[in-house]
Structures are given as structure tokens and as C-alpha cells.
Amino acid sequence: MPAVPTVEATMLGKLDWSAIPFDQPIPLVAGAVVLVAILGVLIWVVVKGHLPYLWHEWITSVDHKRIGVMYILLASVMLLRGGSDAIMMRIQQAVAYQSQGYLPPEHYNQIFSAHGTIMIFFVAMPFVIGLMNLVVPLQLGVRDVAFPTLNSVGFWLTATGALLVNLSLVIGEFARTGWLAFPPLSELSYSPGVGVDYYAWSLQISGVGTLVAGINLVTTVLKLRTKGMNYLRMPMFCWTTLASNLLIVAAFPILTATLAMLLLDRYLGFHFFTNEAGGNVMMFMNLIWAWGHPEVYILVLPAFGIFSEVVSTFSGKALFGYRSMVLATMAICVISFMVWLHHFFTMGAGPDVNAIFGIASMIIAIPTGVKIYNWLFTMYGGRIRFATPMLWSVGFMVTFIIGGLTGVLLAVPPADFMLHNSMFLVAHFHNVIIGGVLFGAFAGFEYWFPKAFGFRLDERWGKAAFWFTFLGFFVTFIPLYVAGMLGMTRRMQHYDVAAWRPWMIVAAFGMAVLTIGVICQILQLVVSIRNREALRDRTGDPWDGRSLEWATSSPPPVFNFAFNPDVRGEDAYWDMKARARQQSLEHDAPEYRDIEMPRNSPTGFVCAFFATIMGFALIWHIWWMVILGGLGAFATFVVFAWRDHDEYVIPAEEVARIDRVNLEERRSLVSMAGAI
Amino acid sequence: MSDQTHMHAEHDLAPGDEEQHSVGVRILGYVVGLALALLLTATSFFIAGTDLVWQPSIPVALIVLAIAQMGVHLVFFLHITTGPDNTNNVLALAFGLLVVFLVVGGTVWIMAHLNANMPPMDQIMRMQ
Ligand code: HEM
Ligand SMILES: [Cu+2]
């Protein structure tokens, strides 16, 4: 009997009931739980009448602070998802000795691919971009970012990517190719399912969001600085933001182009990276790492900036070697584009090429070392307060040095031939990414939380979270170094070597300790919200900070500063803030003026809504829906481009009213300080 | 955000911001740019097909013309100048060129070595 195409087959592309994994309880139950949780929250929001508030104050907000907070929220939720994957993998490797464990191979492969993808693109990236959004305009002393609405579009497109990845849990499957989807495995002939398409389209869509965020932040730092804030007076975090976003602008198009070629292979029968017809797999390897290595510095540079701020604040001293720090940052920015081959030393480039790239990789450790010494010298002779942000920073220095050293080891080609794709490599990059990026994100979270929400976080739970995470990290990842040196390769669903077993069990135990750390972090948030009145930050300067974000109230008003601060001193932060404070305190009745701020706009949300539809339709080959989504997104753009009222005015009296409250608090603080 | 415009560092303008001339002068600039661009394009096509010049010089001439073409675009359409109000644009251009040079140069170099060391299967067969 000839197969008659049914209506569904034409209307819904590849989508049918077999896409729902009824036979696999783990993803189904996990998906169901998440779905129920989301529905529960939605119903609660609607019933309680919070929907208008959410819509007006958050979803359509173009306020950089709100967008920053939403980025961080997205990252935190995704951290829980990626963390669950990690727990599952650690348990699997602890039990799968001479047995299949509890996760079948095709499921295990999806988990490690999703884990890597989520952790890099939907945890680390949004977390640092969120912090940059939240803080950088405040540090520069300005009222907003360069492109407020575009900023919101960027956030919502990132959220779309995250949504699509998580959708793959219940509808269809995710890639089984690892977080970089190397061909030929990711080509149609070896991965015929929708997994790789979920991967590629989520990254294409969120990649646009990231690029937009990058352009916005570069422009903000270059073009919007308050009076007198010249480049060499900018706080270190602004410098690392600039460097990191320059890298985004330069590197993300490479990722987009590479994935676009992979998609052409998969959708239109091109042969860029196939085995046959003149395709070249190594070109993918080359291009993806030309993006991939800058990417790791995109993540870690902002973290370096956060540590610079935290270390100098909590040591009560100006940052040691500010100019060398700037130079080191920009050096890393350039050198990070000269080392990408170290990710495929073993794939046949030959001795000369390997030697050059190996040496370049080692050279990048020099500016990094400069930074470490600068932080140490900043602490030296300072009166150090070991508050939670400072603990994360000191913990980072210890952890990151180890990770950097193993990186330099891997950059020696002969050593890399032994260690490439072993558990040693896995330990290396977790060592730098957890110890560098995640610790940095947590330090920034603890440090700037009072600024964002107006109350401090509970120190006891914060310290507990730090110690559990710090110790848990070493118990989890030091065994992986050992297992790597015993020859264990990465991504093993099961194994038969007895010598590896104990290390996998220790690592699983370490994962449990890490989990306690995460739970402490959640409890910290809960406890702090409940005690918020006691923890209230009235002055806007809870840590005795050194840069301009502490010169306004917590949380800052929409317009950030009633007066754009005037930065005059050569002697950067401390002086700058003292001066800024004085200025606003000096005159008793300053002359307030009307302030114009950009209007809220649903453009970002609506665009992302259509992008989600389009992405989903592309994954499932539902062509009419692709067109619908594309048209919708385009129409949204046109409507936005044609609107004529894009700003609203906050009257001077309102500005005065808001500002006076904070001024009073600050006055009492200054007079107290004067009395001492 | 209008009251932030005065905060821009003085010697620093975005592309398009710098135009304080009248419309006529601006149009003239674009017309000159267009004419030069067309001239360079036409010359390239002419050189590529002609046998009036020494043949090996043709690729060199084409490269020179292409670079001149980029220069014309940068100066007349993207308004890159050497003036002090253009530092950001020039630096951005330099950074972009550096990255392109590193990535393209590195790629060519790496891929050439990979091809030499790991030729495709059929080529290995032929070599034996
Ligand atoms: C001194 C600095 C560093 C050096 C010399 C270095 C060197 C290396 C080398 C040679 C590899 C490839 C090993 C192999 O595949 O066999 C590697 C992998 C990796 N490194 Fe580093 N690294 C450094 C810092 C960092 C930092 C700061 C990060 C992230 C923030 C990072 C993230 C990664 C990641 C994610 C991978 C592996 C990705 C994968 O194969 O899936 N590295 N590193
Ligand atoms: Cu690398």
C-alpha cells in the first residue's frame, strides 16, 4: 500500500506523538515536574493579580538594571537545570563500573551535551552579561545603556534559546554530540534526529541576543561616560566589560557562520563539513575554536573585573597597578585570538604549527599572572574584611591558579597528546570556569545584590555556601585530574577499569558537597528576603565602596543619578566617590531638572515570542509556521521602528522627592564619618 | 537621554554624527565617492579581461584596486578620517582588521598544514 501523506505529516513537519518520550521515565518525569512548576507559578501570578506588575515593571522594561536582574535570574534557573545534569552524570560514572549504570548511552550522551551547552550559553553568559548590564552604567555614572530597547531584545532572545533547549527534554531529543557538535557526528548521516537542530537553532537565536548585548555594552562604555570619566578613570570592571564585549562582537559572528554552515549541510544538502563531496571536517574544528577560545575569555574577563572591584573594596585600598591591569586586560583580549589551535593539537597540524600555538597559549598566562599579583598586592597591607564577596575572590585566586597551571600544562603539545580529551582536560576547564567564572559571578552577586534590591544578603548562609562550594569543588574535580592521568577519557557512559572506580566515587561524593553549597545559596536568598527589613541598606553604600554605583541609593531610581556625577580626580575611585558625594551634599537645595527616560517596550518580548515559534518550526520542519514566525518578528520590528514617542519625562519635583530621601541618609552617614 | 549628549567626550563622534555641513556638501561627498567606486570597479573589470598589460601584473593590479575600493568606501561612505574626532572609529577598524587578519591568516596556515599532513583517503591511496 502506498504511504498516503496524512494531514499531520504535511502540517506538522516531522512532529508527531513519537516525539514525546513516553518510554523514558526520567526526562518525562523531569519535564512534567518542570511543566507543573511553571504552570503553578503562572497560575499563582495570574490569580494573585501580579501579571500587570510583571508586564509593566519587568517584561517590557528597558531599564538596564531590571534587564540585568532578569539575565541573572535566567542564569540561576538554568544553573539548577545544568546542575541536575551534572549530578546525574556523576552518579552514572560512580555506578557504571562493569555495568550499564542507570542511564542508557543515548540518554547519557544527551545529558552531557545539554549540560555543556546550558552551562556555557545559558548560565555563564547570561550571568556575566546580567552583571555587566546591572552595574556598568552605574559605574560610568550615566542613566542608561546606549540602546535600551535593543538590550531588552537581546535578553529575550537569549531566553528563547534557553527555552528551546529545555523544550527538547519533553518534545523530541537533544543533541548527543557534545557541547560543540563536531561533524561528521553532527551531520545528518550520523545524527538524523532533531537533537542537533535543537542545539543549533537555540544557539543561533541566543547568539543574536548575545551579539546585540555585546554591541550595546561596547557602545555604552565607549560613548556614554559621565563628565570627566575618561578611559583611565574607569573602574576595572568597565575595562573588562569593554574587552569582553569587543571579543563578543568579534567572535560571535564566527560561531553564527559556522553553525549556519552546519545547518546548510543538514537542511539543504550542502557539503561544508561532510565526509563526502569535498567537505572538510577540520574546517569546522578550526572555525568553532576560533570562536571557542575567545569565548572562554569573554566569560572570564568580566569575572576578573568583578574580583578587581571586590578585592580593592574589601581591602580598603585602591587597586594596585591599575594601568598594568588595563594593559593586561587588553593584551588578553588580543592574544585570546591567537591560540585557538591548542584545542586540536592532536589532529595533525604538525610540529611547527603546534609549537607556535603552544607558545602563544603559554604567553596568555603572563597577563593573567600580572592580574593575580596585582590582586595580591592590593590585599597586601590592606585592612581586609572577609565578607562573602571577598571569600569568593580569595577562593577564586587559589582555585584559578591551579586551573591556569593545568592549562599551561595542556598547552605543551607533547603533554597534550597524552591528556587531550581525557578527564584531565575536563578537570582543567571546570577548574577555570567554576573557579573563575562561577566564583566571579557569585562574588558579583553577593557584592551587588544590595545595590539591586536594597537589602544585604545574609552573611552566615553566604559563608556556608562558599565553604561547601569551595571544598566540594576540590573533592569533585581533583579526582578527575587523577582519573585523567590514569587514562580515563571524557564522556564515558560506562567503563571496566578498576583503578578509576574509587576516584569516580569520590567525585560523586564531592558533587554532594557542592549540592549542599547550592542549597545554602538558595537558603541564603530565602532567609535574606525574610529578614530584609533588618538587612536594609539605607545609604546605598553598604560595603564602603569605591566606585560610582555606590554613590546612588539602593535600589537606584530608574534614572540612576539625579545629577550626572562630575568626575575630576586623577586618583580614581575613592576620591571620585568622596567628591561625588560632597557635590550632592554641598548645596542644600540643588536645582533639580526634568529627566527624560526611554519608554518601556514590549518589542523584545514579542520578538522573542515569534523567534521561539520560528525556531521550533525550523527544528521540526514546519514550514508554514517558520514563515509565520519570521513575518511576526519582522512586523514587530517595523512597528517599533515607526513609533514616535520613545521617551517620557520624569518631572523635576519627582526627581527631587526621590533624591532627597537618599540624601538625608547619606548626610547622616557623612556627619557620622566626620565625627570619627 | 537627550541631556546625556553633552556628556560624550568631545573628540569622539559616531559615524554620521560628524556631519555639520550643509546637505549640498554632503551630497557632493557621496557623489564623488560613488564616481570613484564606479571607476575602480570598471577598471577592475577592464584589467581582468585586457591583454594590453603584462599578464602576471593583473592579479597584483586587481588586489591594489580592491584595496583602493575599500579605502573609498571607508572615507566617503563610512566617514573614517584621521581627525581627532574619529579615534574610536579608527580603533574599531584597526581591531576588526587585526581579528580578521589573525583568523583568516591563522586558518589558511592551519588548514594548509592539516591538508599536507592528513590528505583525504583517496589521495593517500594515490600516493602509494
Ligand atoms: C593560562 C591559561 C590557559 C591555558 C594555557 C589553557 C589551555 C588549554 C588547552 C591547551 C586546552 C585544550 C586541551 C585539550 O583539548 O587537550 C584547553 C581546554 C579548555 N579550556 Fe583552557 N586554558 C587556559 C585558560 C582557560 C580559561 C580561563 C578558561 C575558561 C574560562 C578555559 C576553558 C577551557 C575549556 C572550556 C576547554 C575545553 C573545551 C572542550 O574541549 O570541550 N581555559 N585549555
Ligand atoms: Cu582555549
Side-chain angles (χ1 to χ4, degrees), chain A residues 120 178-180 182 289 292-293 295-301 304 339-347 357-366 368-369 400-401 403-413 415-422 424-426 428-434 436-437 490-491:
Chain A
I120 297 283
W179 73 284
L180 285 177
F182 293 150
W289 285 116
H293 189 85
E295 163 68 8
V296 305
Y297 280 93
I298 290 171
L299 294 175
V300 88
L301 279 173
F304 289 169
V339 301
W340 75 92
L341 180 119
H342 68 212
H343 293 273
F344 49 105
F345 278 147
T346 55
M347 301 185 200
F357 276 92
I359 292 167
S361 309
M362 294 175 215
I363 287 177
I364 222 173
I366 295 173
T368 317
F400 193 81
I401 290 174
L405 287 178
T406 59
V408 174
L409 203 68
L410 287 168
V412 180
D416 189 65
F417 271 73
M418 298 290 116
L419 296 169
H420 177 60
N421 274 355
S422 71
F424 189 95
L425 162 78
V426 174
H428 156 68
F429 69 73
H430 284 86
N431 208 324
V432 278
I433 291 186
I434 297 183
V437 183
R490 74 196 291 190
R491 296 172 178 167

Side-chain angles (χ1 to χ4, degrees), chain A residues 143-144 222-225 231 280 283 286 334 338 340-341 347-350 352-353 356-357 564 596 647, chain B residues 1-4 7-8 12-14 88 95 98-99 102-103 106-107 109-111 113-115 117-118:
Chain A
R143 301 223 158 99
D144 212 327
L222 291 182
K223 307 296 289 188
L224 296 182
R225 280 167 283 122
Y231 288 123
N280 191 338
M283 190 48 125
N286 174 67
V334 173
M338 301 162 68
W340 75 92
L341 180 119
M347 301 185 200
D352 351 350
V353 180
I356 300 275
F357 276 92
N564 286 118
E596 280 181 4
E647 291 189 332
Chain B
M1 309 265 302
S2 43
D3 69 328
Q4 275 184 17
M7 294 190 307
H8 297 170
D12 184 26
L13 292 169
N88 271 342
F95 181 69
L98 176 69
V99 169
L102 287 175
V103 172
T107 297
W109 189 44
I110 292 170
M111 294 311 290
H113 277 252
L114 288 175
N115 283 348
N117 290 331
M118 309 192 303

Side-chain angles (χ1 to χ4, degrees), chain A residues 495-530:
Chain A
Y495 55 93
D496 298 327
V497 180
W500 301 343
R501 183 87 204 274
W503 301 108
M504 291 303 110
I505 294 176
V506 177
F509 174 72
M511 191 68 224
V513 182
L514 265 175
T515 311
I516 299 177
V518 173
I519 293 172
C520 288
Q521 204 110 52
I522 296 172
L523 284 176
Q524 181 200 31
L525 203 60
V526 174
V527 169
S528 315
I529 292 177
R530 290 173 87 187

